[in-house]
Amino acid sequence: MQIKLMLGKVTSIKIERKKNIKKKKQTHRGFLFVSCLYKLRSNQTHLLSGFSVLAPAIFSLSVQAATQTTGQMVQFDIKAQRADKALIEYAKQTEQTVVFSYELAKQYDANSVYGFYTQLDALEALLGGTELDAVVDQNGLLSIKLKQINRNDNNMMKLSAVSAAVLPALLAVNSQGVNAAEEVAQEKIEKIAIVGSRVAGRSVEDLPVPVDILSAEALENTGQTEVGRMLQSIAPSFNFSSSAISDGTDALRPATLRGLGPDQTLVLINGKRRHQASIIHINGSVGRGTAGTDMNAIPASAIKRIEVLRDGAAAQYGSDAIAGVINIVLKDGSEGGKAAINYGQYSEGDGETINLDFNKGFALGDDGYLNTTINYRDRAPTNRAGLHGSCQFYGCTELSDGTLLAGDPRELTADRDTFRIGDADSQQFGLTINTGYELGDGELYGFITYSTRENESAAFFRHNANAGGNPVLQDNDATIPLGFLPKINTTIDDISYNFGYKTEFDNDASLDLSYTYGENSIDYTTSDTINASYANFLRYDQGLSAADIRTTIPREAYAYGMELSLQTINIDFTQNFDDYSLAMGAEIRTDEYRILEGNEYAYRDYDTLNGVSIYSGLSGGVGSEDASGGSQGFGGSSPASSVDESRDVISFYVDAEAYVIEDVILSGALRYDNYKGFGDTVNFKLAGNWSITDDISLRGALSSGFRAPSMQQLYFNNVSTQFVVDTNGNLVAEEVGTFRNDSTLAQSLGIPKLKEEKSQNRSLGIVYNVTDNINVTVDYYSIDIDDRIVISDRLGKGLSTSLDAALNSAGAGVGQFFLNGADTETRGVDFVATWNTEGLGGTLDFTLAANFTKTDVVSLFSPAGSSLETVKVEDIFSAEDISIIEEWQPEDRINLSALYQRDDWTVNLSLNRFGEYTVEDGGRQTYGAEILTDVKVNYFVTEDLSVNIGANNLFDVYPDKNEIGNSRSGTIVDASGNTVISSSGVFDYSRRSAPFGFNGAYYYVGAEYRF
């Protein structure tokens, strides 16, 4: 069943098994004309509009006669409701033509039908106890009429008379008459558009570009509780990589499409631009130097479907749509709902997760709906850290074989499980409201989304023998004698709201005016930490004893906060003509970005002033004099780094689609955008779809695109501790300053302002309906990006005299900058095949989907005319920086899934292959391909209550063990030569990139109640 989609409330459904013929005069049987939730315009013109009392809805389908299919078993899930709505559900679930009077059917209440029935048996059960009867005529057309019984109600008598007069004539009408009636009714139906086309009523197969429609059921069948993981499970072109000890990236993972960056995919909610997350990924992870959208801010239980447009669409939707567009469509039911609970944990016994969902639809009189969702998710942390093999205390001696002889007796009993490497501890609450109400000749609509998430992840362990991070006091012992593990606590708040009004005119035109606001904020608090320099301040300035310092030194500090908001006003006009459609519109947008200063304790260096140690020579040879400033693990941001910036954008577009000849659709779009900061840009798109036969179509597109520098890339600046691999292969801490391009340091180096990325997209594909039940699509794509914005390597002193001078003047040892510094080429193929059949006493749906992609950096360059021009380009962009773009994501992803349904049982089995990927992190390691198996079994105990059990990564598959970029490795022996600890390091698995994580098997159970 192909559902017509988008923007807002569904009002037209197309049910088809074969490719529809697209000329308007050849209207295909396949439209479901209904009222109420799926409603016609307010004038309620139906097929038999001449009969004011009788207004039948038409369900028509290009399949064989009903008599050839009514004997087959079909699984039904229809709740008790008004008969007209129940018949609509019946038509959708059977893909059958049904003719009935809307005015007649709405007077009765139908029964619930759940399980496997023949179509006629299901109708009998559905209409049992009513005065309605199902009839199949000699042509196989199925209709609903009144039973031949006595009727006392005058109104019912009138309906009966009209029905008796009209239905025989209706049943005898030939297919041409039905098509003609459909064509009349089409003119009155409110249609909807799929993302990728502004033309209402266009099917996915008609589009000149590939679009995946992922239903709520498909998302739920994955067994995942996060939207990002759900998408990764069923959309191979989508990646949701994990990393560890990467600051805010632990809490908000980067989401990518077709192997490009997180900021090169545009996300929409109900067709409206979604704001980005305020965080920018600056550590070594997938998407380093970019800012994407928080895919987990919307509860999965609030989503009706997700549309994934796998093609460049900047000419249609504006900046960021280089890799494609992800449109999240919210639920819009006016009744019914569900309550669900899910509990699970990993095979290692950690990562315990509880997920609670509640969704309910409410009718706003006869003309509106309000659908609300509440979600709560509590996820405990996971830990896959190796053992701490290096010395934690002073006094170790290296022996000739490289082992370490323990000196301090505490070394022999020290805790070796000191790190926490895995998923963060997380609690999230989400609320979503989606509403619409018919007002005048149009619909007033809107939505609200809100979520708040508390996360706690860990930084690097600071052991006793760490003079900079855990300074020695006057008693010759560290401030925290047994060491400490700093925690990075993040609070992520996300809110958006939208309201608009859409009206349609009698000339098949529509006008949509809307306002959307969105904001994402993140606040960082570092706990279980110390400001090491403050310990020296307490000792030398305040005269405290070592014991007093340990009891009074603060262990927590607010580091800083970031906020990003987006305000958008849209006006969209569409006009449908006989052979073509035209759309045009405008957008006014304001981006705002703020960095909020942290507590002084989080950023201040208390024992250093202007680069000079204040307490030099005061220790008497015992203890520290100069330690690191700021909170260990995650330092704060000073007032000097505060940001409050805004940017205005204005855009205009025109978009057209036309049948140039029979069975050939051509579309074109042109868009103008003007950005405060870098000026304007014009982009185009040309695309086409040629139906060679009813079953084979070719599609292709050519477009230009762009991505404006994000507000974070323009204005983010701070100093953070990053752990990098030195020339000896050791992981060392480094204080790295990130400088915005309009900073004094950047200006002194002649670094120019950032400009937009520019792209060229080309795609060519084929759609082949092999049989009524087998469909195959193959799409090739090519994406060239010029002036790609990348963050430089950590540039230290000694590369050039001008850089040395700039760093000295800024008081920084190492700096990194955002630069237009790379040109890249991406080539790939998407493959999707589906097969729907019957077997094993039930129905079977198979899907094979694959993505093969490769990105190459074809050119690297430094800013012309700047001081960096004299620095070797390989020093500005390291091999690791190039590897992140080219290799850190799998080059192929393949998913094979099977959905089996029989009676009250549903079984979903999925095989996910993650291809090879390579990480460069002080060395190079290629991680082998892995296949993960997911299974979910669902059973309906009653018509409304179901229980489920399942596993993600059933066979406990892990990525290859890590061989590079490790830390805290070593072998320690006691005085007798006995081994105390021997460890290859704490990173058993790559902390930089893990496409499917490294937590192992996850097992869960759940229950759901529908109402």
Side-chain angles (χ1 to χ4, degrees):
M1 182 174 71
Q2 192 75 55
I3 296 182
K4 288 304 183 181
L5 305 169
M6 256 305 304
L7 304 176
K9 188 175 176 182
V10 173
T11 53
S12 173
I13 295 181
K14 183 172 187 178
I15 304 172
E16 60 181 16
R17 287 183 182 171
K18 278 193 173 184
K19 179 80 175 176
N20 62 307
I21 300 174
K22 294 176 286 298
K23 291 197 69 177
K24 185 172 183 181
K25 293 183 180 180
Q26 295 172 295
T27 305
H28 208 282
R29 295 185 180 184
F31 286 94
L32 170 68
F33 299 141
V34 299
S35 49
C36 289
L37 177 59
Y38 303 88
K39 64 178 58 179
L40 296 170
R41 294 183 188 168
S42 57
N43 59 9
Q44 294 295 317
T45 302
H46 299 271
L47 175 63
L48 303 181
S49 57
F51 298 92
S52 59
V53 179
L54 180 62
I58 297 179
F59 304 83
S60 61
L61 175 68
S62 87
V63 295
Q64 295 176 336
T67 53
Q68 298 177 2
T69 59
T70 50
Q72 298 177 0
M73 299 292 287
V74 177
Q75 186 181 27
F76 290 91
D77 185 4
I78 305 175
K79 65 184 178 183
Q81 55 189 306
R82 210 168 65 191
D84 60 308
K85 297 183 178 181
L87 288 168
I88 291 168
E89 287 300 318
Y90 174 89
K92 290 162 59 181
Q93 294 183 24
T94 61
E95 297 186 336
Q96 267 302 345
T97 296
V98 183
V99 178
F100 70 92
S101 164
Y102 162 75
E103 293 293 341
L104 176 63
K106 77 174 186 178
Q107 301 178 62
Y108 298 94
D109 291 325
N111 305 307
S112 63
V113 177
Y114 183 81
F116 280 85
Y117 295 82
T118 66
Q119 295 181 21
L120 289 181
D121 286 345
L123 265 181
E124 183 178 350
L126 190 71
L127 301 177
T130 72
E131 297 178 349
L132 301 177
D133 200 4
V135 176
V136 180
D137 76 344
Q138 68 271 21
N139 296 318
L141 188 62
L142 183 64
S143 64
I144 307 300
K145 67 176 184 177
L146 282 172
K147 294 178 180 178
Q148 297 301 314
I149 58 176
N150 292 327
R151 304 172 182 85
N152 297 319
D153 184 271
N154 290 334
N155 187 46
M156 290 297 295
M157 287 291 289
K158 293 177 182 177
L159 285 172
S160 175
V162 174
S163 300
V166 172
L167 282 177
L170 177 61
L171 297 180
V173 73
N174 60 26
S175 60
Q176 292 177 344
V178 173
N179 282 341
E182 289 177 353
E183 190 168 335
V184 171
Q186 279 183 55
E187 297 177 0
K188 300 299 181 182
I189 199 164
E190 180 188 357
K191 299 178 183 177
I192 335 177
I194 304 169
V195 64
S197 172
R198 298 186 189 273
V199 177
R202 185 75 73 221
S203 75
V204 173
E205 292 179 355
D206 290 338
L207 293 176
V209 290
V211 177
D212 297 324
I213 306 299
L214 310 176
S215 66
E217 180 185 21
L219 295 171
E220 186 177 332
N221 283 337
T222 65
Q224 303 284 350
T225 58
E226 300 177 351
V227 172
R229 288 292 185 214
M230 290 177 175
L231 279 171
Q232 186 182 40
S233 296
I234 55 179
S237 59
F238 181 89
N239 279 299
F240 199 60
S241 185
S242 296
S243 59
I245 312 188
S246 50
D247 298 345
T249 305
D250 291 352
L252 206 157
R253 300 189 186 107
T256 67
L257 199 62
R258 287 183 161 178
L260 295 178
D263 53 4
Q264 289 161 337
T265 298
L266 176 63
V267 178
L268 310 175
I269 299 289
N270 283 356
K272 309 300 181 183
R273 176 179 283 266
R274 176 76 170 170
H275 57 279
Q276 288 185 328
S278 54
I279 187 177
I280 187 164
H281 307 288
I282 60 171
N283 286 312
S285 68
V286 170
R288 180 173 183 262
T290 67
T293 301
D294 186 357
M295 298 303 299
N296 290 335
I298 305 295
S301 53
I303 297 173
K304 183 176 184 178
R305 66 181 173 272
I306 296 179
E307 305 164 3
V308 182
L309 167 61
R310 293 179 276 117
D311 196 68
Q316 295 167 289
Y317 300 102
S319 177
D320 307 344
I322 292 178
V325 180
I326 296 174
N327 181 42
I328 298 174
V329 182
L330 302 176
K331 289 182 177 178
D332 57 4
S334 61
E335 58 186 7
K338 72 172 186 178
I341 182 172
N342 183 282
Y343 170 84
Q345 67 176 19
Y346 288 96
S347 56
E348 293 291 324
D350 57 5
E352 184 180 67
T353 301
I354 299 175
N355 191 78
L356 303 174
D357 287 316
F358 177 84
N359 172 263
K360 182 70 175 73
F362 302 91
L364 301 180
D366 292 331
D367 298 317
Y369 67 92
L370 186 147
N371 192 280
T372 184
T373 303
I374 297 173
N375 167 260
Y376 175 75
R377 184 175 68 246
D378 187 339
R379 186 190 69 198
T382 61
N383 188 12
R384 300 294 177 268
L387 298 178
H388 192 142
S390 62
C391 287
Q392 297 186 33
F393 297 88
Y394 294 99
C396 284
T397 304
E398 186 173 356
L399 303 179
S400 59
D401 60 357
T403 59
L404 298 169
L405 175 64
D408 193 312
R410 291 176 294 180
E411 196 74 66
L412 306 179
T413 58
D415 183 11
R416 297 294 162 182
D417 194 10
T418 57
F419 278 68
R420 197 175 86 191
I421 301 170
D423 286 348
D425 190 5
S426 176
Q427 298 84 39
Q428 175 169 310
F429 171 81
L431 170 67
T432 301
I433 298 173
N434 189 33
T435 186
Y437 189 83
E438 288 201 0
L439 185 64
D441 293 329
E443 183 186 45
L444 184 67
Y445 63 86
F447 64 78
I448 299 173
T449 70
Y450 170 75
S451 70
T452 181
R453 189 186 317 154
E454 302 283 344
N455 299 274
E456 182 191 81
S457 58
F460 270 73
F461 181 76
R462 267 62 174 177
H463 47 236
N464 181 288
N466 183 340
N470 193 5
V472 175
L473 302 180
Q474 54 266 47
D475 62 357
N476 211 28
D477 202 0
T479 305
I480 310 297
L482 298 181
F484 58 96
L485 181 66
K487 310 295 193 311
I488 303 171
N489 303 272
T490 57
T491 299
I492 303 174
D493 291 323
D494 193 288
I495 187 169
S496 68
Y497 56 85
N498 159 270
F499 56 86
Y501 184 74
K502 182 176 183 179
T503 184
E504 296 195 0
F505 306 103
D506 293 336
N507 62 347
D508 214 6
S510 67
L511 182 67
D512 188 352
L513 177 65
S514 66
Y515 170 82
T516 307
Y517 176 84
E519 180 179 313
N520 179 276
S521 65
I522 183 168
D523 289 297
Y524 294 100
T525 299
T526 313
S527 61
D528 295 334
T529 186
I530 62 171
N531 182 325
S533 68
Y534 192 69
N536 287 335
F537 171 81
L538 294 176
R539 174 185 176 182
Y540 298 112
D541 192 271
Q542 302 297 307
L544 270 62
S545 66
D548 289 339
I549 292 173
R550 293 189 178 100
T551 57
T552 60
I553 191 167
R555 300 300 307 276
E556 181 175 297
Y558 172 69
Y560 64 91
M562 293 186 291
E563 298 175 355
L564 184 136
S565 65
L566 173 69
Q567 297 184 71
T568 309
I569 297 174
N570 291 99
I571 183 168
D572 302 289
F573 174 81
T574 61
Q575 173 76 66
N576 295 322
F577 300 93
D578 286 344
D579 296 319
Y580 69 96
S581 299
L582 180 68
M584 61 184 68
E587 178 178 279
I588 301 173
R589 196 169 93 228
T590 298
D591 302 324
E592 295 181 304
Y593 180 62
R594 289 170 288 276
I595 297 180
L596 311 177
E597 66 185 76
N599 295 339
E600 181 182 79
Y601 183 76
Y603 63 81
R604 183 177 169 183
D605 189 341
Y606 287 91
D607 58 16
T608 303
L609 183 63
N610 296 325
V612 178
S613 177
I614 300 173
Y615 308 120
S616 178
L618 299 183
S619 66
V622 179
S624 170
E625 297 175 349
D626 191 356
S628 300
S631 49
Q632 287 292 302
F634 192 85
S637 181
S638 70
S641 297
S642 296
V643 169
D644 189 354
E645 299 285 352
S646 65
R647 176 176 66 186
D648 296 324
V649 185
I650 186 168
S651 308
F652 302 94
Y653 74 87
V654 61
D655 193 336
E657 290 189 20
Y659 286 101
V660 292
I661 58 174
E662 185 174 347
D663 295 327
V664 175
I665 300 176
L666 287 183
S667 66
L670 190 68
R671 186 180 180 101
Y672 168 83
D673 295 88
N674 182 275
Y675 278 74
K676 174 187 174 183
F678 70 80
D680 50 19
T681 179
V682 177
N683 293 276
F684 76 92
K685 183 167 187 174
L686 295 173
N689 184 301
W690 175 27
S691 294
I692 302 174
T693 70
D694 286 351
D695 297 317
I696 300 176
S697 296
L698 293 179
R699 61 191 181 190
L702 172 66
S703 66
S704 65
F706 78 105
R707 189 188 69 81
S710 69
M711 296 294 284
Q712 300 93 316
Q713 289 172 331
L714 289 170
Y715 300 115
F716 178 80
N717 64 115
N718 85 334
V719 177
S720 63
T721 303
Q722 298 183 23
F723 283 81
V724 297
V725 180
D726 64 13
T727 55
N728 297 319
N730 299 315
L731 206 61
V732 296
E734 193 170 54
E735 298 299 314
V736 180
T738 303
F739 299 95
R740 47 194 275 187
N741 287 30
D742 61 354
S743 65
T744 302
L745 187 150
Q747 292 298 302
S748 68
L749 293 173
I751 296 176
K753 292 183 179 180
L754 293 174
K755 57 184 179 180
E756 75 276 18
E757 299 175 349
K758 299 176 182 178
S759 67
Q760 293 287 334
N761 289 62
R762 293 169 292 276
S763 65
L764 182 65
I766 184 171
V767 180
Y768 180 27
N769 295 313
V770 183
T771 69
D772 287 350
N773 299 322
I774 300 176
N775 175 272
V776 176
T777 67
V778 181
D779 292 276
Y780 167 82
Y781 59 88
S782 168
I783 307 170
D784 296 340
I785 304 176
D786 294 334
D787 297 321
R788 189 162 172 170
I789 299 173
V790 289
I791 191 169
S792 74
D793 193 18
R794 295 160 284 269
L795 305 180
K797 297 176 181 177
L799 295 175
S800 77
T801 55
S802 55
L803 178 60
D804 290 350
L807 291 173
N808 285 330
S809 64
V814 177
Q816 57 188 18
F817 312 89
F818 291 99
L819 305 169
N820 291 101
D823 294 340
T824 65
E825 293 179 352
T826 299
R827 305 289 183 266
V829 174
D830 288 324
F831 174 87
V832 180
T834 60
W835 177 32
N836 306 317
T837 187
E838 296 179 353
L840 303 177
T843 61
L844 284 164
D845 298 321
F846 295 96
T847 301
L848 175 62
N851 171 259
F852 305 89
T853 190
K854 181 171 177 56
T855 296
D856 292 312
V857 176
V858 296
S859 179
L860 289 170
F861 43 88
S862 56
S866 72
S867 298
L868 296 182
E869 198 172 19
T870 62
V871 181
K872 294 179 180 179
V873 71
E874 56 267 28
D875 289 329
I876 298 176
F877 304 107
S878 68
E880 178 182 326
D881 297 323
I882 300 170
S883 180
I884 290 173
I885 296 173
E886 293 184 337
E887 303 175 315
W888 282 28
Q889 300 184 71
E891 289 191 0
D892 65 86
R893 284 279 320 286
I894 302 174
N895 170 266
L896 174 62
S897 64
L899 178 65
Y900 172 65
Q901 299 179 80
R902 178 178 179 177
D903 297 329
D904 296 323
W905 293 89
T906 301
V907 179
N908 191 80
L909 176 66
S910 179
L911 303 177
N912 279 286
R913 182 186 190 273
F914 293 81
E916 289 186 351
Y917 61 100
T918 299
V919 172
E920 179 136 359
D921 184 23
R924 283 180 61 83
Q925 182 177 351
T926 297
Y927 297 83
E930 301 289 353
I931 297 177
L932 274 62
T933 303
D934 299 337
V935 62
K936 180 180 181 180
V937 179
N938 189 80
Y939 174 71
F940 271 89
V941 181
T942 69
E943 292 181 357
D944 300 315
L945 177 64
S946 65
V947 294
N948 62 81
I949 185 171
N952 293 327
N953 190 5
L954 175 65
F955 299 112
D956 204 25
V957 175
Y958 282 82
D960 294 344
K961 285 293 187 75
N962 186 44
E963 299 173 359
I964 60 173
N966 220 320
S967 180
R968 310 301 193 262
S969 60
T971 299
I972 302 174
V973 297
D974 61 16
S976 302
N978 300 312
T979 300
V980 176
I981 180 68
S982 182
S983 171
S984 60
V986 294
F987 296 115
D988 282 349
Y989 307 98
S990 173
R991 75 182 185 99
R992 299 300 191 183
S993 177
F996 57 89
F998 42 78
N999 289 318
Y1002 179 80
Y1003 305 110
Y1004 61 87
V1005 295
E1008 178 178 296
Y1009 181 78
R1010 299 181 182 180
F1011 45 82

